[in-house]
Amino acid sequence: MSEKPKKENYGADSIQALEGMEHVRMRPSMYIGDVGVRGLHHLVYEVVDNSIDEAMGGFCDEIDVVINEDNSVSVKDNGRGIPVDLHKKEGVSALEVVMTKIGAGGKFDKDSYKVSGGLHGVGVSVVNALSIHLRATVHREGKIWEQEYERGKTMYPVKPIGETDFRGTVITFRPDEEIFKQTIEFSYETLANRMRELSFLNKGITISIIDKRNKDEKGEFISDIFNSTEGLKEFIRFLDETREPVIGDVIHMEGEKNGIPVEVAMIYNTSYSENLHSYVNNINTHEGGTHLSGFRRGLTHTLKKYADASGMLTKLKFDIAGDDFREGLTAIISVKVGEPQFEGQTKTKLGNREVSAAVSQSVSEMLENYLEENPNDAKIIVQKVILAAQARHAANKARDMVQRKTVMSIGGLPGKLSDCSEQDPAICEVFLVEGDSAGGTAKQGRDRNFQAILPLRGKILNVEKAMQHKVFENEEIRNIFTALGVTIGTEEDSKALNIEKLRYHKVVIMCDADVDGSHIETLILTFFFRYMKELIENGHIYIATPPLYLVRKGAKKKYAWSDEERDEIQKEFGEGCKIQRYKGLGEMNAIQLWDTTMKPSARTLRQIVIDNGAEADRVFSMLMGDEVPPRREFIEKNAVYANIDA
Ligand code: 0RA
């Protein structure tokens, strides 16, 4: 997860109706979602997607990504090479058409199997328009051809520059700082995670990535090579590395139904959470859609049928619900759809009706066979489902207690909540504060008009390890639910969230800037990630950043958020500075806390977003799960906060 600037919605229709490179530069968010960190990385994905397309057509099996020293990125593939011959209609080289005409990508190759995702296929010309410089080099039929562009404008006609034995395409681009004002610095971690994901989703392709900006302790550039021979099966093993499986191996199926390629992999583990990740044309469909509902239907139908036939349910006093079949389930569903219709707030929900039956039938067939052939695993799965149903009943009772309180609104707010006077959720904020003492300071320091304070006692429950009913019985967690006004669970789906009544549009986690504080922050984030993911997805969750130092000299004083900043202030003030290190929020008085951390005009809030759902799931299960060794390794590598809030 990471921070991100406010998103701008864009529709597929507006992309169709577009004209010209100028328009891309005028309204970049319409094409790439935003011009922050996320949009920046999308540029790379768009270029790589073209190479993935080429690989899916069977013409390419190697893609190399290089982050160059100057923060430009090169993507090289060993495909057929973008054609360089004259494009009759346009009167220039086909390469130039691909690079400079919006929506031209792949137009002249209709027969090829082109379903990869990118930004819903806006094309590499968009990347070109948003780059200060781009160079396209094509190796074809013994010759090397080249063309360069500045902000999307052709610098010279395509020209031959040498001879070659290689066949393929190399694109090197440097994002335009005029467009990406926030930063043009690529994150190796983010790009590598996506390349890994792509290699799992498209087995057989070798994708390498190398960062030429930094060397490791051995003096070598940081790099990874991803190659998956088993596709989603390996993806599941990777995601569930720190979870304990309850069945022998990953259940994996690949097939085609009604012309729709469907690949599914799944396993049951000892955890209580459900981890479903779905993809359409390599795009992570966060909001699900018809493929996901098809999967759910197929799974429920088949397992229910098997359980009924096995006679294991006769003693059960209550019904089994859909989500009982998915407790402790990790699954990935990947489909390729010719003309995907994306819906939903973030356009990541598949709308195509025909896909539902295709996936549901595929899953039913696969599972039926699997259960027949693996009666031991089948028994384990059914027993697990029964346990989940029993636990759900206990959880429902506990949850109803929470919700009954919520419904009795006024009297129902937690006693520890110091509410604000304003009623409009859009302008209200609530601070979840570590500890009663810091809570007290925050209460004095806040602007009571729109800022509410909810102190949390010590470490909140680790929801990654707890069963659902324990989560709902936990007092701190109940306080969070009641304070936020959010309810959870319907008859159909015990985890469905009702966020319409959300009482504050900013939920700010405020912890000490030390190891314990980070741990508590992670616990709270884990809770939101597992139980209120929509709040994160809708951009409601923030982290406050209290300062680390106060530097004083005479009447002058300044706060510092890092050692470097502290040193700079010291230089500025000169000899004789007094430095106070804040070990916790409790060491600040109310005015200081307001001035540095709570006052809207001065504070920095980090908004939490999920960059890569599968990776976030893995990180949380690793950080918060049972298996200690990988967690320690992970924390020692210090990638933790890079992944969660960087
Ligand atoms: C259309 C036709 C042909 C190649 C490509 C597209 C192509 C595009 C990209 C983008 C990145 N790498 C690529 N590699 C190939 C060639 C058709 C032919 O040679 O017959």
Side-chain angles (χ1 to χ4, degrees), residues 19-29 31 35 102 125-133 150-153 175-181:
E19 296 78 13
M21 304 285 274
E22 272 312 306
H23 192 251
V24 178
R25 291 184 59 83
M26 256 159 54
R27 304 287 304 276
S29 301
Y31 298 86
V35 288
I102 302 300
S125 52
V126 166
V127 178
N128 194 14
L130 302 177
S131 295
I132 178 83
H133 181 259
E150 272 174 355
R151 299 196 164 107
K153 292 218 163 73
D176 189 351
E177 280 159 294
E178 270 181 26
I179 304 282
F180 299 93
K181 294 199 175 78

PDB file of all heavy atoms in Angstrom, residues 19-29 31 35 102 125-133 150-153 175-181:
ATOM      1  N   GLU A  19      -8.932  12.697 -28.874  1.00  0.00           N
ATOM      2  CA  GLU A  19      -8.184  13.012 -30.084  1.00  0.00           C
ATOM      3  C   GLU A  19      -6.861  13.612 -29.713  1.00  0.00           C
ATOM      4  O   GLU A  19      -6.802  14.597 -29.026  1.00  0.00           O
ATOM      5  CB  GLU A  19      -8.874  14.052 -30.948  1.00  0.00           C
ATOM      6  CG  GLU A  19     -10.178  13.686 -31.514  1.00  0.00           C
ATOM      7  CD  GLU A  19     -11.316  13.782 -30.517  1.00  0.00           C
ATOM      8  OE1 GLU A  19     -11.165  14.361 -29.434  1.00  0.00           O
ATOM      9  OE2 GLU A  19     -12.314  13.216 -30.817  1.00  0.00           O
ATOM     10  N   GLY A  20      -5.817  13.000 -30.253  1.00  0.00           N
ATOM     11  CA  GLY A  20      -4.557  13.708 -30.293  1.00  0.00           C
ATOM     12  C   GLY A  20      -3.703  13.707 -29.055  1.00  0.00           C
ATOM     13  O   GLY A  20      -4.167  13.579 -27.938  1.00  0.00           O
ATOM     14  N   MET A  21      -2.415  13.844 -29.311  1.00  0.00           N
ATOM     15  CA  MET A  21      -1.413  13.829 -28.255  1.00  0.00           C
ATOM     16  C   MET A  21      -1.548  15.042 -27.345  1.00  0.00           C
ATOM     17  O   MET A  21      -1.256  14.983 -26.163  1.00  0.00           O
ATOM     18  CB  MET A  21      -0.021  13.815 -28.890  1.00  0.00           C
ATOM     19  CG  MET A  21       0.196  12.664 -29.859  1.00  0.00           C
ATOM     20  SD  MET A  21       0.443  11.101 -29.005  1.00  0.00           S
ATOM     21  CE  MET A  21       2.202  11.183 -28.723  1.00  0.00           C
ATOM     22  N   GLU A  22      -1.996  16.166 -27.922  1.00  0.00           N
ATOM     23  CA  GLU A  22      -2.155  17.383 -27.128  1.00  0.00           C
ATOM     24  C   GLU A  22      -3.173  17.161 -26.017  1.00  0.00           C
ATOM     25  O   GLU A  22      -2.979  17.586 -24.881  1.00  0.00           O
ATOM     26  CB  GLU A  22      -2.636  18.536 -28.028  1.00  0.00           C
ATOM     27  CG  GLU A  22      -1.507  19.297 -28.687  1.00  0.00           C
ATOM     28  CD  GLU A  22      -0.421  19.677 -27.693  1.00  0.00           C
ATOM     29  OE1 GLU A  22      -0.732  20.306 -26.663  1.00  0.00           O
ATOM     30  OE2 GLU A  22       0.752  19.314 -27.933  1.00  0.00           O
ATOM     31  N   HIS A  23      -4.233  16.484 -26.411  1.00  0.00           N
ATOM     32  CA  HIS A  23      -5.281  16.237 -25.431  1.00  0.00           C
ATOM     33  C   HIS A  23      -4.770  15.393 -24.277  1.00  0.00           C
ATOM     34  O   HIS A  23      -5.127  15.619 -23.114  1.00  0.00           O
ATOM     35  CB  HIS A  23      -6.475  15.566 -26.109  1.00  0.00           C
ATOM     36  CG  HIS A  23      -7.703  15.548 -25.242  1.00  0.00           C
ATOM     37  ND1 HIS A  23      -8.185  14.396 -24.681  1.00  0.00           N
ATOM     38  CD2 HIS A  23      -8.508  16.561 -24.821  1.00  0.00           C
ATOM     39  CE1 HIS A  23      -9.255  14.701 -23.960  1.00  0.00           C
ATOM     40  NE2 HIS A  23      -9.467  15.999 -24.022  1.00  0.00           N
ATOM     41  N   VAL A  24      -3.919  14.430 -24.587  1.00  0.00           N
ATOM     42  CA  VAL A  24      -3.336  13.589 -23.540  1.00  0.00           C
ATOM     43  C   VAL A  24      -2.556  14.450 -22.551  1.00  0.00           C
ATOM     44  O   VAL A  24      -2.656  14.284 -21.337  1.00  0.00           O
ATOM     45  CB  VAL A  24      -2.401  12.506 -24.128  1.00  0.00           C
ATOM     46  CG1 VAL A  24      -1.774  11.680 -23.019  1.00  0.00           C
ATOM     47  CG2 VAL A  24      -3.160  11.615 -25.096  1.00  0.00           C
ATOM     48  N   ARG A  25      -1.806  15.405 -23.093  1.00  0.00           N
ATOM     49  CA  ARG A  25      -1.006  16.257 -22.204  1.00  0.00           C
ATOM     50  C   ARG A  25      -1.877  17.237 -21.426  1.00  0.00           C
ATOM     51  O   ARG A  25      -1.545  17.636 -20.314  1.00  0.00           O
ATOM     52  CB  ARG A  25       0.064  17.015 -23.001  1.00  0.00           C
ATOM     53  CG  ARG A  25       1.152  16.078 -23.540  1.00  0.00           C
ATOM     54  CD  ARG A  25       2.252  16.857 -24.252  1.00  0.00           C
ATOM     55  NE  ARG A  25       2.894  17.838 -23.386  1.00  0.00           N
ATOM     56  CZ  ARG A  25       3.871  17.572 -22.537  1.00  0.00           C
ATOM     57  NH1 ARG A  25       4.325  16.345 -22.426  1.00  0.00           N
ATOM     58  NH2 ARG A  25       4.388  18.517 -21.793  1.00  0.00           N
ATOM     59  N   MET A  26      -2.993  17.618 -22.032  1.00  0.00           N
ATOM     60  CA  MET A  26      -3.889  18.542 -21.347  1.00  0.00           C
ATOM     61  C   MET A  26      -4.670  17.860 -20.227  1.00  0.00           C
ATOM     62  O   MET A  26      -4.896  18.432 -19.179  1.00  0.00           O
ATOM     63  CB  MET A  26      -4.889  19.125 -22.345  1.00  0.00           C
ATOM     64  CG  MET A  26      -4.589  20.545 -22.758  1.00  0.00           C
ATOM     65  SD  MET A  26      -5.391  20.919 -24.324  1.00  0.00           S
ATOM     66  CE  MET A  26      -7.089  20.486 -23.979  1.00  0.00           C
ATOM     67  N   ARG A  27      -5.078  16.626 -20.497  1.00  0.00           N
ATOM     68  CA  ARG A  27      -5.898  15.904 -19.521  1.00  0.00           C
ATOM     69  C   ARG A  27      -5.313  14.534 -19.218  1.00  0.00           C
ATOM     70  O   ARG A  27      -5.967  13.518 -19.457  1.00  0.00           O
ATOM     71  CB  ARG A  27      -7.327  15.740 -20.066  1.00  0.00           C
ATOM     72  CG  ARG A  27      -8.020  17.036 -20.460  1.00  0.00           C
ATOM     73  CD  ARG A  27      -8.441  17.854 -19.253  1.00  0.00           C
ATOM     74  NE  ARG A  27      -9.298  17.104 -18.347  1.00  0.00           N
ATOM     75  CZ  ARG A  27     -10.608  16.966 -18.495  1.00  0.00           C
ATOM     76  NH1 ARG A  27     -11.205  17.530 -19.526  1.00  0.00           N
ATOM     77  NH2 ARG A  27     -11.299  16.272 -17.626  1.00  0.00           N
ATOM     78  N   PRO A  28      -4.089  14.476 -18.728  1.00  0.00           N
ATOM     79  CA  PRO A  28      -3.421  13.175 -18.547  1.00  0.00           C
ATOM     80  C   PRO A  28      -4.212  12.193 -17.677  1.00  0.00           C
ATOM     81  O   PRO A  28      -4.223  10.997 -17.952  1.00  0.00           O
ATOM     82  CB  PRO A  28      -2.083  13.538 -17.892  1.00  0.00           C
ATOM     83  CG  PRO A  28      -2.225  14.941 -17.435  1.00  0.00           C
ATOM     84  CD  PRO A  28      -3.242  15.598 -18.298  1.00  0.00           C
ATOM     85  N   SER A  29      -4.909  12.717 -16.666  1.00  0.00           N
ATOM     86  CA  SER A  29      -5.617  11.818 -15.747  1.00  0.00           C
ATOM     87  C   SER A  29      -6.700  11.008 -16.447  1.00  0.00           C
ATOM     88  O   SER A  29      -7.039   9.914 -16.026  1.00  0.00           O
ATOM     89  CB  SER A  29      -6.237  12.601 -14.602  1.00  0.00           C
ATOM     90  OG  SER A  29      -5.228  13.282 -13.912  1.00  0.00           O
ATOM     91  N   TYR A  31      -6.362   9.568 -19.128  1.00  0.00           N
ATOM     92  CA  TYR A  31      -5.740   8.430 -19.792  1.00  0.00           C
ATOM     93  C   TYR A  31      -5.034   7.482 -18.828  1.00  0.00           C
ATOM     94  O   TYR A  31      -5.017   6.286 -19.036  1.00  0.00           O
ATOM     95  CB  TYR A  31      -4.738   8.931 -20.841  1.00  0.00           C
ATOM     96  CG  TYR A  31      -5.414   9.735 -21.928  1.00  0.00           C
ATOM     97  CD1 TYR A  31      -5.637  11.105 -21.778  1.00  0.00           C
ATOM     98  CD2 TYR A  31      -5.855   9.110 -23.085  1.00  0.00           C
ATOM     99  CE1 TYR A  31      -6.281  11.840 -22.759  1.00  0.00           C
ATOM    100  CE2 TYR A  31      -6.495   9.834 -24.075  1.00  0.00           C
ATOM    101  CZ  TYR A  31      -6.714  11.196 -23.906  1.00  0.00           C
ATOM    102  OH  TYR A  31      -7.361  11.909 -24.876  1.00  0.00           O
ATOM    103  N   VAL A  35      -1.780  11.724 -12.051  1.00  0.00           N
ATOM    104  CA  VAL A  35      -0.411  12.091 -12.411  1.00  0.00           C
ATOM    105  C   VAL A  35       0.508  12.004 -11.200  1.00  0.00           C
ATOM    106  O   VAL A  35       1.532  12.660 -11.122  1.00  0.00           O
ATOM    107  CB  VAL A  35      -0.326  13.496 -13.043  1.00  0.00           C
ATOM    108  CG1 VAL A  35      -0.914  13.473 -14.435  1.00  0.00           C
ATOM    109  CG2 VAL A  35      -1.029  14.527 -12.170  1.00  0.00           C
ATOM    110  N   ILE A 102      -3.102   8.391 -31.014  1.00  0.00           N
ATOM    111  CA  ILE A 102      -3.796   7.837 -29.863  1.00  0.00           C
ATOM    112  C   ILE A 102      -4.773   6.759 -30.316  1.00  0.00           C
ATOM    113  O   ILE A 102      -5.551   6.956 -31.239  1.00  0.00           O
ATOM    114  CB  ILE A 102      -4.572   8.944 -29.127  1.00  0.00           C
ATOM    115  CG1 ILE A 102      -3.623  10.049 -28.684  1.00  0.00           C
ATOM    116  CG2 ILE A 102      -5.325   8.382 -27.934  1.00  0.00           C
ATOM    117  CD1 ILE A 102      -2.537   9.611 -27.763  1.00  0.00           C
ATOM    118  N   SER A 125       1.385   5.336 -27.255  1.00  0.00           N
ATOM    119  CA  SER A 125       1.437   6.742 -27.663  1.00  0.00           C
ATOM    120  C   SER A 125       1.138   7.664 -26.479  1.00  0.00           C
ATOM    121  O   SER A 125       1.651   8.782 -26.407  1.00  0.00           O
ATOM    122  CB  SER A 125       0.446   7.007 -28.797  1.00  0.00           C
ATOM    123  OG  SER A 125      -0.833   6.534 -28.434  1.00  0.00           O
ATOM    124  N   VAL A 126       0.323   7.184 -25.539  1.00  0.00           N
ATOM    125  CA  VAL A 126       0.033   7.981 -24.351  1.00  0.00           C
ATOM    126  C   VAL A 126       1.306   8.161 -23.521  1.00  0.00           C
ATOM    127  O   VAL A 126       1.605   9.250 -23.022  1.00  0.00           O
ATOM    128  CB  VAL A 126      -1.094   7.318 -23.514  1.00  0.00           C
ATOM    129  CG1 VAL A 126      -1.182   7.924 -22.130  1.00  0.00           C
ATOM    130  CG2 VAL A 126      -2.421   7.440 -24.236  1.00  0.00           C
ATOM    131  N   VAL A 127       2.073   7.080 -23.407  1.00  0.00           N
ATOM    132  CA  VAL A 127       3.345   7.156 -22.691  1.00  0.00           C
ATOM    133  C   VAL A 127       4.253   8.153 -23.402  1.00  0.00           C
ATOM    134  O   VAL A 127       4.915   8.994 -22.775  1.00  0.00           O
ATOM    135  CB  VAL A 127       4.016   5.761 -22.634  1.00  0.00           C
ATOM    136  CG1 VAL A 127       5.363   5.845 -21.938  1.00  0.00           C
ATOM    137  CG2 VAL A 127       3.102   4.751 -21.954  1.00  0.00           C
ATOM    138  N   ASN A 128       4.259   8.080 -24.722  1.00  0.00           N
ATOM    139  CA  ASN A 128       5.085   8.987 -25.514  1.00  0.00           C
ATOM    140  C   ASN A 128       4.700  10.447 -25.253  1.00  0.00           C
ATOM    141  O   ASN A 128       5.554  11.299 -24.997  1.00  0.00           O
ATOM    142  CB  ASN A 128       4.917   8.628 -26.998  1.00  0.00           C
ATOM    143  CG  ASN A 128       5.976   9.291 -27.867  1.00  0.00           C
ATOM    144  OD1 ASN A 128       6.978   9.806 -27.363  1.00  0.00           O
ATOM    145  ND2 ASN A 128       5.740   9.297 -29.182  1.00  0.00           N
ATOM    146  N   ALA A 129       3.406  10.713 -25.270  1.00  0.00           N
ATOM    147  CA  ALA A 129       2.937  12.085 -25.072  1.00  0.00           C
ATOM    148  C   ALA A 129       3.345  12.635 -23.707  1.00  0.00           C
ATOM    149  O   ALA A 129       3.571  13.827 -23.552  1.00  0.00           O
ATOM    150  CB  ALA A 129       1.422  12.143 -25.214  1.00  0.00           C
ATOM    151  N   LEU A 130       3.463  11.746 -22.725  1.00  0.00           N
ATOM    152  CA  LEU A 130       3.738  12.189 -21.355  1.00  0.00           C
ATOM    153  C   LEU A 130       5.219  12.064 -20.978  1.00  0.00           C
ATOM    154  O   LEU A 130       5.578  12.173 -19.813  1.00  0.00           O
ATOM    155  CB  LEU A 130       2.863  11.398 -20.371  1.00  0.00           C
ATOM    156  CG  LEU A 130       1.342  11.526 -20.626  1.00  0.00           C
ATOM    157  CD1 LEU A 130       0.552  10.665 -19.648  1.00  0.00           C
ATOM    158  CD2 LEU A 130       0.909  12.992 -20.527  1.00  0.00           C
ATOM    159  N   SER A 131       6.070  11.814 -22.004  1.00  0.00           N
ATOM    160  CA  SER A 131       7.504  11.675 -21.753  1.00  0.00           C
ATOM    161  C   SER A 131       8.248  12.864 -22.337  1.00  0.00           C
ATOM    162  O   SER A 131       7.953  13.309 -23.444  1.00  0.00           O
ATOM    163  CB  SER A 131       8.031  10.381 -22.400  1.00  0.00           C
ATOM    164  OG  SER A 131       7.437   9.267 -21.782  1.00  0.00           O
ATOM    165  N   ILE A 132       9.227  13.343 -21.597  1.00  0.00           N
ATOM    166  CA  ILE A 132      10.061  14.422 -22.108  1.00  0.00           C
ATOM    167  C   ILE A 132      10.862  13.914 -23.305  1.00  0.00           C
ATOM    168  O   ILE A 132      11.108  14.620 -24.271  1.00  0.00           O
ATOM    169  CB  ILE A 132      10.985  14.987 -20.988  1.00  0.00           C
ATOM    170  CG1 ILE A 132      11.906  16.082 -21.515  1.00  0.00           C
ATOM    171  CG2 ILE A 132      11.833  13.917 -20.345  1.00  0.00           C
ATOM    172  CD1 ILE A 132      11.237  17.401 -21.548  1.00  0.00           C
ATOM    173  N   HIS A 133      11.226  12.625 -23.242  1.00  0.00           N
ATOM    174  CA  HIS A 133      11.963  12.004 -24.352  1.00  0.00           C
ATOM    175  C   HIS A 133      11.617  10.532 -24.432  1.00  0.00           C
ATOM    176  O   HIS A 133      11.453   9.873 -23.401  1.00  0.00           O
ATOM    177  CB  HIS A 133      13.477  12.167 -24.138  1.00  0.00           C
ATOM    178  CG  HIS A 133      14.297  11.571 -25.240  1.00  0.00           C
ATOM    179  ND1 HIS A 133      14.905  10.345 -25.118  1.00  0.00           N
ATOM    180  CD2 HIS A 133      14.576  12.019 -26.497  1.00  0.00           C
ATOM    181  CE1 HIS A 133      15.537  10.076 -26.257  1.00  0.00           C
ATOM    182  NE2 HIS A 133      15.363  11.064 -27.106  1.00  0.00           N
ATOM    183  N   GLU A 150      10.052  14.007 -28.579  1.00  0.00           N
ATOM    184  CA  GLU A 150      10.078  14.874 -27.397  1.00  0.00           C
ATOM    185  C   GLU A 150       8.656  15.277 -27.066  1.00  0.00           C
ATOM    186  O   GLU A 150       7.975  15.880 -27.908  1.00  0.00           O
ATOM    187  CB  GLU A 150      10.922  16.132 -27.667  1.00  0.00           C
ATOM    188  CG  GLU A 150      12.385  15.914 -27.361  1.00  0.00           C
ATOM    189  CD  GLU A 150      13.245  17.102 -27.760  1.00  0.00           C
ATOM    190  OE1 GLU A 150      12.707  18.058 -28.366  1.00  0.00           O
ATOM    191  OE2 GLU A 150      14.444  17.064 -27.477  1.00  0.00           O
ATOM    192  N   ARG A 151       8.232  14.964 -25.878  1.00  0.00           N
ATOM    193  CA  ARG A 151       6.840  15.220 -25.478  1.00  0.00           C
ATOM    194  C   ARG A 151       5.861  14.745 -26.560  1.00  0.00           C
ATOM    195  O   ARG A 151       4.893  15.405 -26.883  1.00  0.00           O
ATOM    196  CB  ARG A 151       6.634  16.704 -25.182  1.00  0.00           C
ATOM    197  CG  ARG A 151       7.532  17.173 -24.042  1.00  0.00           C
ATOM    198  CD  ARG A 151       7.087  18.514 -23.481  1.00  0.00           C
ATOM    199  NE  ARG A 151       7.711  18.726 -22.190  1.00  0.00           N
ATOM    200  CZ  ARG A 151       8.707  19.588 -21.955  1.00  0.00           C
ATOM    201  NH1 ARG A 151       9.183  20.346 -22.925  1.00  0.00           N
ATOM    202  NH2 ARG A 151       9.225  19.703 -20.755  1.00  0.00           N
ATOM    203  N   GLY A 152       6.206  13.609 -27.164  1.00  0.00           N
ATOM    204  CA  GLY A 152       5.320  13.001 -28.151  1.00  0.00           C
ATOM    205  C   GLY A 152       5.521  13.498 -29.573  1.00  0.00           C
ATOM    206  O   GLY A 152       4.920  12.975 -30.503  1.00  0.00           O
ATOM    207  N   LYS A 153       6.372  14.519 -29.742  1.00  0.00           N
ATOM    208  CA  LYS A 153       6.588  15.063 -31.093  1.00  0.00           C
ATOM    209  C   LYS A 153       7.786  14.380 -31.745  1.00  0.00           C
ATOM    210  O   LYS A 153       8.869  14.299 -31.174  1.00  0.00           O
ATOM    211  CB  LYS A 153       6.843  16.566 -31.007  1.00  0.00           C
ATOM    212  CG  LYS A 153       5.617  17.362 -30.567  1.00  0.00           C
ATOM    213  CD  LYS A 153       5.531  18.695 -31.319  1.00  0.00           C
ATOM    214  CE  LYS A 153       4.149  19.285 -31.213  1.00  0.00           C
ATOM    215  NZ  LYS A 153       3.851  19.826 -29.863  1.00  0.00           N
ATOM    216  N   PRO A 175       9.804  10.098 -18.081  1.00  0.00           N
ATOM    217  CA  PRO A 175       8.565  10.837 -17.836  1.00  0.00           C
ATOM    218  C   PRO A 175       8.820  12.340 -17.752  1.00  0.00           C
ATOM    219  O   PRO A 175       9.883  12.773 -17.322  1.00  0.00           O
ATOM    220  CB  PRO A 175       8.093  10.315 -16.475  1.00  0.00           C
ATOM    221  CG  PRO A 175       8.856   9.073 -16.236  1.00  0.00           C
ATOM    222  CD  PRO A 175      10.120   9.163 -17.006  1.00  0.00           C
ATOM    223  N   ASP A 176       7.835  13.112 -18.170  1.00  0.00           N
ATOM    224  CA  ASP A 176       7.942  14.562 -18.200  1.00  0.00           C
ATOM    225  C   ASP A 176       7.625  15.150 -16.828  1.00  0.00           C
ATOM    226  O   ASP A 176       6.524  14.969 -16.313  1.00  0.00           O
ATOM    227  CB  ASP A 176       6.953  15.097 -19.252  1.00  0.00           C
ATOM    228  CG  ASP A 176       7.147  16.584 -19.499  1.00  0.00           C
ATOM    229  OD1 ASP A 176       7.916  17.220 -18.745  1.00  0.00           O
ATOM    230  OD2 ASP A 176       6.521  17.090 -20.448  1.00  0.00           O
ATOM    231  N   GLU A 177       8.590  15.867 -16.278  1.00  0.00           N
ATOM    232  CA  GLU A 177       8.378  16.468 -14.953  1.00  0.00           C
ATOM    233  C   GLU A 177       7.284  17.539 -14.960  1.00  0.00           C
ATOM    234  O   GLU A 177       6.695  17.843 -13.930  1.00  0.00           O
ATOM    235  CB  GLU A 177       9.688  17.060 -14.418  1.00  0.00           C
ATOM    236  CG  GLU A 177      10.584  15.994 -13.819  1.00  0.00           C
ATOM    237  CD  GLU A 177      12.045  16.410 -13.744  1.00  0.00           C
ATOM    238  OE1 GLU A 177      12.668  16.589 -14.815  1.00  0.00           O
ATOM    239  OE2 GLU A 177      12.559  16.555 -12.620  1.00  0.00           O
ATOM    240  N   GLU A 178       7.029  18.105 -16.138  1.00  0.00           N
ATOM    241  CA  GLU A 178       5.935  19.077 -16.242  1.00  0.00           C
ATOM    242  C   GLU A 178       4.581  18.418 -15.968  1.00  0.00           C
ATOM    243  O   GLU A 178       3.638  19.074 -15.534  1.00  0.00           O
ATOM    244  CB  GLU A 178       5.876  19.666 -17.662  1.00  0.00           C
ATOM    245  CG  GLU A 178       6.691  20.901 -17.859  1.00  0.00           C
ATOM    246  CD  GLU A 178       6.548  21.430 -19.285  1.00  0.00           C
ATOM    247  OE1 GLU A 178       5.512  21.180 -19.939  1.00  0.00           O
ATOM    248  OE2 GLU A 178       7.506  22.083 -19.738  1.00  0.00           O
ATOM    249  N   ILE A 179       4.487  17.138 -16.285  1.00  0.00           N
ATOM    250  CA  ILE A 179       3.235  16.400 -16.079  1.00  0.00           C
ATOM    251  C   ILE A 179       3.228  15.749 -14.693  1.00  0.00           C
ATOM    252  O   ILE A 179       2.280  15.879 -13.933  1.00  0.00           O
ATOM    253  CB  ILE A 179       3.067  15.288 -17.146  1.00  0.00           C
ATOM    254  CG1 ILE A 179       3.128  15.877 -18.558  1.00  0.00           C
ATOM    255  CG2 ILE A 179       1.791  14.479 -16.888  1.00  0.00           C
ATOM    256  CD1 ILE A 179       1.886  16.570 -19.020  1.00  0.00           C
ATOM    257  N   PHE A 180       4.321  15.065 -14.382  1.00  0.00           N
ATOM    258  CA  PHE A 180       4.409  14.343 -13.109  1.00  0.00           C
ATOM    259  C   PHE A 180       5.108  15.241 -12.099  1.00  0.00           C
ATOM    260  O   PHE A 180       6.283  15.064 -11.790  1.00  0.00           O
ATOM    261  CB  PHE A 180       5.127  13.009 -13.304  1.00  0.00           C
ATOM    262  CG  PHE A 180       4.396  12.114 -14.274  1.00  0.00           C
ATOM    263  CD1 PHE A 180       4.729  12.115 -15.620  1.00  0.00           C
ATOM    264  CD2 PHE A 180       3.349  11.320 -13.846  1.00  0.00           C
ATOM    265  CE1 PHE A 180       4.037  11.326 -16.526  1.00  0.00           C
ATOM    266  CE2 PHE A 180       2.642  10.532 -14.745  1.00  0.00           C
ATOM    267  CZ  PHE A 180       2.992  10.530 -16.088  1.00  0.00           C
ATOM    268  N   LYS A 181       4.376  16.230 -11.611  1.00  0.00           N
ATOM    269  CA  LYS A 181       4.988  17.270 -10.779  1.00  0.00           C
ATOM    270  C   LYS A 181       5.396  16.738  -9.422  1.00  0.00           C
ATOM    271  O   LYS A 181       6.357  17.196  -8.821  1.00  0.00           O
ATOM    272  CB  LYS A 181       4.011  18.438 -10.613  1.00  0.00           C
ATOM    273  CG  LYS A 181       3.732  19.161 -11.922  1.00  0.00           C
ATOM    274  CD  LYS A 181       3.158  20.555 -11.681  1.00  0.00           C
ATOM    275  CE  LYS A 181       2.989  21.339 -12.975  1.00  0.00           C
ATOM    276  NZ  LYS A 181       1.793  20.934 -13.741  1.00  0.00           N
TER     277      LYS A 181
END
